[in-house]
Amino acid sequence: MTGPRLSRRSALGLIGAAGAAGVAGGFTAGAARGDDAPSTTDLVVPFRGKHQAGITTAVQQHLYFASFDMTSTAGREELKSLLADWTAAAARMTRGQDVTDEGAVGGGPYKPPDDTGEALDLQANALTITFGFGPTLFEDADGRDRFGIADRRPKELVELPSFAFDLLEDRFSGGDLCIQACANDPQVAVHAIRNLSRIAFGRAQVRWTQLGYGRTSTTSKAQATPRNLFGFKDGTANIFGSDGSDLATSVWADDSDQPWLDGGTFLVARKIQMLIESWDRVRLEEQEAIIGRDKGEGAPLSGGTEFTEPKFDVFSTKAGGPAIPMDSHVRLAHPDHNGGARMLRRGYNFVEGNNDLGQLNAGLFFLAFVRSPQQFIDVQRSLAKDTLNEYIRHIGSAIFAVPGGIRAGDSVGSGLF
Ligand SMILES: C=CC1=C(C)c2cc3[nH]c(cc4nc(cc5[nH]c(cc1n2)c(C)c5CCC(=O)O)C(CCC(=O)O)=C4C)c(C)c3C=C
Ligand SMILES: [Fe+2]
């Protein structure tokens, strides 16, 4: 070790002692996974545990998300070996190590290095790698059970229905498998996906990817609420890592029809374009009415401060109606109007250049973890009346079952076989 910071290469020497417990930043396994873990660069988040990391983990600053399809020639054995290889590499990278012992520079000059090297000298940066399985892994579009696992498909793992205003594009949608990599350094997240894609060569290939540069939610009360690209605080009413009973009720799919999903959850991903230039011409008062919260503090328009519960029956003389308008986002998304449905949101901002008119291609990569996809479906249907729809477009969509935590010596998805 070279002082308080732990570099990728110096981390190698520590592994025997630290194991998977993640002592690099001085945090124990429980503290690092839990609600109040600070987002430091030298933090190691334990890869193994009851649940996969990257769900309740305090949201890191950067995301690189990849959806994969198995190649047309791959069968059951290739899927099994891929998941085992991904698990081994992910366990190492989350500890701040190269993907193998030989790594980027230790394998001699006569073969391509095992690790691509761009994360050499970077620390673990709270890297989490979270795996999920799409409906097409269990049964493809032609109804074929390519991997002999059709009877392991959770009955709720089906493609999402169409919603009002959907403008979905295939190039941002679907996938047999997904990997969510989150870290406090973008290069660490990109390195993880790049190396896992490389390991998949011949067995699975990237279908689409998404880079997220700034978190738009928080899962920890120790984190400040971030802002989305419309300038509003996002994540105020989220489920936090410390909300044990809410996690049990709304996130962990412990009662599904598939035992391998115990400790797991469902992940809904939506790529949502935000019409920034149109939004920026909207009066502040109207922006706040559309969201249902004030822009400065994030307090509900019914009064109070950021974490005050919204009161939907408060009347505003100025508005001449409910203080939180009937067609506002917060009213329509609130559990009170969706049979109690809640979700753990973990989305990221994206900006991807501009169109020919100079308008930004920007938006929210919405990620939500739910016990049942129906929770998302109910809320998204309710949002059909949302005035926010004038300023957003859903252009990508995918759903994945996220297996429970990976135990010592085990590989992700071993319960499928
Ligand atoms: C179907 C689920 C949701 C989509 C899609 C969605 C898109 C979306 N949201 C914002 C901005 C905000 N959302 C806020 C709250 C909020 N949003 C959802 C669900 C979806 N949002 C829920 C369940 C909630 C919480 C409702 C509650 O319990 O009060 C807020 C307020 C702050 C907060 O609580 O996070 C903002 C702001 C945008 C811009 C957007 C699409 C681009
Ligand atoms: Fe929202």
Side-chain angles (χ1 to χ4, degrees), residues 228 233-237 272 293 329 333-335 345 366 376 380:
N228 60 38
K233 285 192 184 174
D234 208 336
T236 302
I272 308 176
R293 288 180 175 271
H329 184 70
H334 195 273
R345 289 170 286 144
F366 176 92
F376 172 83
Q380 184 58 24

Side-chain angles (χ1 to χ4, degrees), residues 216 225 228 230 232-238 270 272-274 291 293 298 310 312 329-330 333-335 341-343 345 363-364 366 376 379-380 383 388 392 394:
T216 63
T225 313
N228 60 38
F230 285 163
F232 276 75
K233 285 192 184 174
D234 208 336
T236 302
N238 207 10
R270 304 282 287 185
I272 308 176
Q273 190 155 17
M274 292 163 67
I291 297 295
R293 288 180 175 271
F312 296 110
H329 184 70
V330 156
H334 195 273
R342 297 193 69 201
M343 52 190 82
R345 289 170 286 144
L364 169 68
F366 176 92
F376 172 83
V379 176
Q380 184 58 24
L383 293 179
L388 193 59
I392 63 175
H394 286 240

